[in-house]
Amino acid sequence: MTNRPDVLIVGAGFAGMYALYRYRNLGFNVTVIEAGSDVGGTWFWNRYPGARCDVPSLEYSYGFSKSLEQDWDWPEVFSAQPDILKYANHVADRFDLRQHIQFNTRLVALEYMETDNRWRATIEHTAESKEQSEPAAQIEAQFCVMATGCLSVPNKPVLPGADSFTGTVLHTGLWPKEPVDLTGKRVGIIGTGSSGVQAIPELAKQAEHLTVFQRTPVYTVPANRKAMRAAVQQEFRDNYDDIREMQQKNAGGVSNFRPVRSLRRPRSDNAVRQEPITAIPSTSLPASSLSSVAQAPNAILSLTPEERLEMVTERGLNTLLSFRDVYNNTEANEAANETFRQALGNMIDDPEVSARLSPTTYGLGCKRQVLDRDYYDTFNRDDVTLVDVIDTPIETITRDGIRTNEKDYDLDVLIYATGFDAMTGALLKANIQGRDGKRLADKWQDGPVAYLGLQMHGFPNLFTITGPGSPSVLCNMLVAIEQHVNWIGDCIKYLGDNNLESIEATPEAEVDWVAHVNEVAEGTMYTTPSCNSWYLGSNVPGKARIFMPYVGGYPRYREQCEQVVANGYEGFCLG
Ligand code: NA7
């Protein structure tokens, strides 16, 4: 049986859901396929304890529906995974989206059929879908929109002996739907990126003993932990028109709107104090859930080492992120790194543990800023052990746990918090074959080549939402998603209105765009030689090292997309 919609959307996370809503409203017949059993994408799969968003919820929410904006209550300023998933479910119900979504349906291959100008998707149904009645085995659509997410393919290192472990194995990015009871369990976790840092304090509370296997120490700062106050939420609601406009003008797609009317305690001199709810140092976007960004001088180098440490001791580690020179001057960066390490020395009881937790091989600003709740305090607990796998490498996984070159660690549960094959993983996994049988995997062998992160030469009518070369993960994802979905929707409509059937990036336009993406990333902390991050693909063995997101800022990018349209879809071939 073959289903033939106008538009096939792959993925029912926030991108796929909005794309479905929008394209259906434009009059297209739309089908969405989703491997999971429900909507939510990232927030469906990442259910590990402590999972939380690092952008404030009043901004990390859809802007397309004014009534939705006015109705939805967020319990916290920075929501936890269950609340974000509830929101996704609410949106699916409210706009009656599920009727067009085939859940438990995985894309196995996607092939362009030139004679029909259609994309043929071969799909497979996961175990949970068996009860569905005769789902289509193939879908053929004129347009295909990959809404597959930037962080959706878990990266799981191949460790010797991994299959021999007899305990429970989990990955933070594929956490089970059913609750996992860790009471009385000896738990091991590999990885100390955002996921590990969020999970570790929660796992320590639940487990009998937690052993953390760390390869690279992280720079993490305290997250904002505020509950949502009704008055603040109302003030946002009253100002949403302005807020959405401000998002469009901000490099990271956040408005940084400061409530004024709902301030709890105005100062006695009646001066207006702005509450730092969404404070984001523009240089460390999108690390927006800082507990506070205290006023600090612009340059860390204007302070003595003693003054720096005193400031951080008084105001917290996140103060270091507010110095502008930290992100564009290597001497200032190292001054901040050194202050960070010194501060850790004062926070961690055991000097050896403190030394192991101190990053030395790279600087602040290289990776996405990590935010935590009680991460460092957790290492002062007697029931938490930190193992440095650079000093004492993992030799093998055994039946009973992990063996390093120093000792055996017996475990009941082994958790991989080892991240994702970011930005390109899901697109390459889809076995995409374009014109003349050209495989996307071959085209992208040396790194992704795409025009505006939206489209690729050789792959007509195939679009990527928040694809490599667009601001994507350096922007508030909801803002980036809405802009891409709207652009693609307008484009498809334009083709129909003008009796055109296809659109395809020219080879020159995509090569020029990739050069521009690299050019703007050059000289930033993201691309210093000492920096290894998933932005660069360097977390996945064998992956080409290339900076994938667009760092030139969301407004500049958006204007470029608008200009391309104003110039008659410049850089694209229409036919
Ligand atoms: P990250 O940030 O890629 O972190 C993965 C962690 O796993 C990191 O500490 C890695 O160490 C570690 N890792 C990966 N492979 C290994 C092996 N083979 N041995 C030991 N340790 C390993 O992923 P997250 O899921 O935490 O966060 C991804 C994004 O999701 C985050 O930035 C937010 O945007 C949400 P390494 O640093 O590579 O030495």
Side-chain angles (χ1 to χ4, degrees):
M1 199 169 85
T2 302
N3 170 8
R4 288 171 67 88
D6 301 321
V7 186
L8 169 65
I9 296 168
V10 185
F14 281 122
M17 289 167 69
Y18 176 51
L20 164 58
Y21 170 86
R22 174 88 178 171
Y23 305 157
R24 190 182 59 183
N25 283 2
L26 287 172
F28 295 109
N29 178 357
V30 184
T31 292
V32 181
I33 54 172
E34 165 57 54
S37 61
D38 212 335
V39 296
T42 290
W43 305 104
F44 174 89
W45 298 106
N46 286 265
R47 297 168 189 248
Y48 60 85
R52 188 173 285 279
C53 188
D54 60 3
V55 177
S57 297
L58 286 164
E59 305 228 27
Y60 188 90
S61 52
Y62 286 122
F64 71 82
S65 163
K66 286 193 191 305
S67 61
L68 172 66
E69 241 166 34
Q70 293 300 318
D71 293 350
W72 185 256
D73 288 330
W74 291 105
E76 292 182 90
V77 172
F78 291 83
S79 293
Q81 174 272 335
D83 293 315
I84 303 173
L85 190 58
K86 257 186 225 155
Y87 174 74
N89 275 280
H90 170 78
V91 171
D93 293 340
R94 185 180 184 120
F95 299 105
D96 199 13
L97 300 180
R98 285 196 179 82
Q99 55 168 320
H100 304 286
I101 307 176
Q102 290 183 21
F103 293 107
N104 303 307
T105 303
R106 192 181 301 282
L107 178 66
V108 187
L110 189 63
E111 185 190 352
Y112 180 62
M113 299 177 300
E114 190 152 12
T115 40
D116 299 353
N117 185 33
R118 281 193 167 255
W119 284 92
R120 177 189 289 152
T122 306
I123 53 184
E124 85 184 4
H125 303 284
T126 63
E128 283 185 66
S129 70
K130 288 277 153 28
E131 290 148 28
Q132 287 179 1
S133 59
E134 283 192 62
Q138 283 190 333
I139 301 174
E140 292 178 2
Q142 185 180 356
F143 299 99
C144 182
V145 177
M146 300 298 286
T148 40
C150 297
L151 295 157
S152 50
V153 175
N155 173 44
K156 191 170 170 213
V158 183
L159 297 172
D163 292 342
S164 61
F165 182 61
T166 52
T168 306
V169 178
L170 299 167
H171 192 293
T172 47
L174 285 176
W175 201 261
K177 274 198 276 180
E178 305 71 36
V180 179
D181 186 7
L182 299 173
T183 318
K185 300 273 169 42
R186 295 160 303 173
V187 177
I189 182 167
I190 302 176
T192 53
S194 293
S195 306
V197 166
Q198 287 188 334
I200 284 163
E202 296 305 315
L203 297 172
K205 285 180 207 157
Q206 296 173 23
E208 181 190 292
H209 194 95
L210 179 68
T211 307
V212 177
F213 296 88
Q214 170 197 269
R215 186 163 69 182
T216 309
V218 62
Y219 292 98
T220 171
V221 303
N224 179 312
R225 307 166 79 133
K226 286 181 181 155
M228 181 66 75
R229 286 196 295 121
V232 170
Q233 184 161 272
Q234 190 54 49
E235 191 168 349
F236 265 75
R237 285 177 177 161
D238 293 345
N239 289 279
Y240 255 131
D241 285 350
D242 290 344
I243 288 169
R244 298 298 180 195
E245 218 179 296
M246 286 150 77
Q247 287 178 335
Q248 294 300 313
K249 293 179 183 152
N250 176 273
V254 284
S255 73
N256 279 325
F257 173 75
R258 301 288 202 280
V260 173
R261 200 184 64 211
S262 55
L263 282 185
R264 214 196 290 264
R265 270 176 288 126
R267 285 201 309 214
S268 52
D269 60 3
N270 279 340
V272 175
R273 185 175 66 87
Q274 296 191 320
E275 192 171 69
I277 281 211
T278 62
I280 301 179
S282 58
T283 38
S284 67
L285 289 165
S288 51
S289 65
L290 307 176
S291 61
S292 69
V293 175
Q295 287 302 311
N298 271 340
I300 195 166
L301 292 178
S302 68
L303 302 176
T304 65
E306 294 73 29
E307 285 169 339
R308 292 168 200 157
L309 187 56
E310 200 183 312
M311 183 176 264
V312 169
T313 309
E314 270 174 24
R315 303 185 191 178
L317 285 168
N318 45 33
T319 313
L320 289 170
L321 307 182
S322 58
F323 294 106
R324 296 211 166 263
D325 55 347
V326 165
Y327 299 94
N328 54 27
N329 175 320
T330 43
E331 196 192 334
N333 188 262
E334 188 41 33
N337 304 338
E338 178 54 23
T339 311
F340 194 100
R341 293 187 283 264
Q342 287 171 355
L344 282 195
N346 297 338
M347 291 163 67
I348 311 287
D349 299 341
D350 181 337
E352 263 184 47
V353 174
S354 159
R356 264 181 251 149
L357 285 170
S358 297
T360 51
T361 56
Y362 67 101
L364 276 159
C366 139
K367 305 190 191 215
R368 186 180 178 100
Q369 184 59 52
V370 177
L371 307 158
D372 70 88
R373 296 182 165 211
D374 307 325
Y375 181 67
Y376 291 121
D377 278 354
T378 301
F379 292 94
N380 288 331
R381 294 174 67 124
D382 294 335
D383 52 5
V384 174
T385 305
L386 178 66
V387 178
D388 181 331
V389 300
I390 296 289
D391 280 356
T392 57
I394 295 174
E395 281 187 344
T396 185
I397 309 281
T398 66
R399 265 186 102 254
D400 302 318
I402 290 186
R403 177 175 302 151
T404 68
N405 69 351
E406 197 183 49
K407 66 180 275 197
D408 278 8
Y409 296 89
D410 287 349
L411 306 170
D412 302 306
V413 180
L414 173 56
I415 299 170
Y416 289 84
T418 43
F420 301 90
D421 184 353
M423 314 284 300
T424 55
L427 296 169
L428 293 177
K429 208 177 153 192
N431 286 317
I432 301 177
Q433 217 169 281
R435 194 183 314 97
D436 302 328
K438 181 152 182 146
R439 295 170 66 238
L440 186 66
D442 292 333
K443 182 180 169 90
W444 283 9
Q445 205 169 14
D446 299 324
V449 180
Y451 184 34
L452 299 167
L454 273 167
Q455 243 249 331
M456 289 82 66
H457 175 68
F459 301 80
N461 294 352
L462 175 73
F463 299 93
T464 53
I465 298 184
T466 62
S470 72
S472 59
V473 290
L474 297 181
C475 183
N476 176 353
M477 281 306 285
L478 274 280
V479 169
I481 282 169
E482 287 191 343
Q483 186 253 341
H484 264 194
V485 168
N486 292 343
W487 192 96
I488 295 166
D490 293 346
C491 170
I492 295 176
K493 172 121 188 1
Y494 175 89
L495 294 179
D497 291 349
N498 290 279
N499 292 322
L500 294 164
E501 303 211 320
S502 78
I503 178 161
E504 180 181 354
T506 67
E508 299 77 23
E510 63 181 11
V511 166
D512 286 354
W513 182 254
V514 172
H516 174 62
V517 171
N518 283 312
E519 189 186 293
V520 289
E522 237 176 71
T524 66
M525 290 297 160
Y526 291 123
T527 54
T528 50
S530 64
C531 184
N532 289 309
S533 69
W534 56 260
Y535 293 140
L536 286 159
S538 45
N539 63 326
V540 176
K543 192 164 171 175
R545 183 185 165 95
I546 181 165
F547 191 76
M548 292 182 283
Y550 180 65
V551 77
Y554 169 69
R556 186 168 165 196
Y557 172 82
R558 176 180 50 75
E559 281 159 21
Q560 179 66 27
C561 291
E562 287 163 5
Q563 196 55 49
V564 161
V565 175
N567 294 348
Y569 286 93
E570 189 177 14
F572 289 98
C573 191
L574 308 185

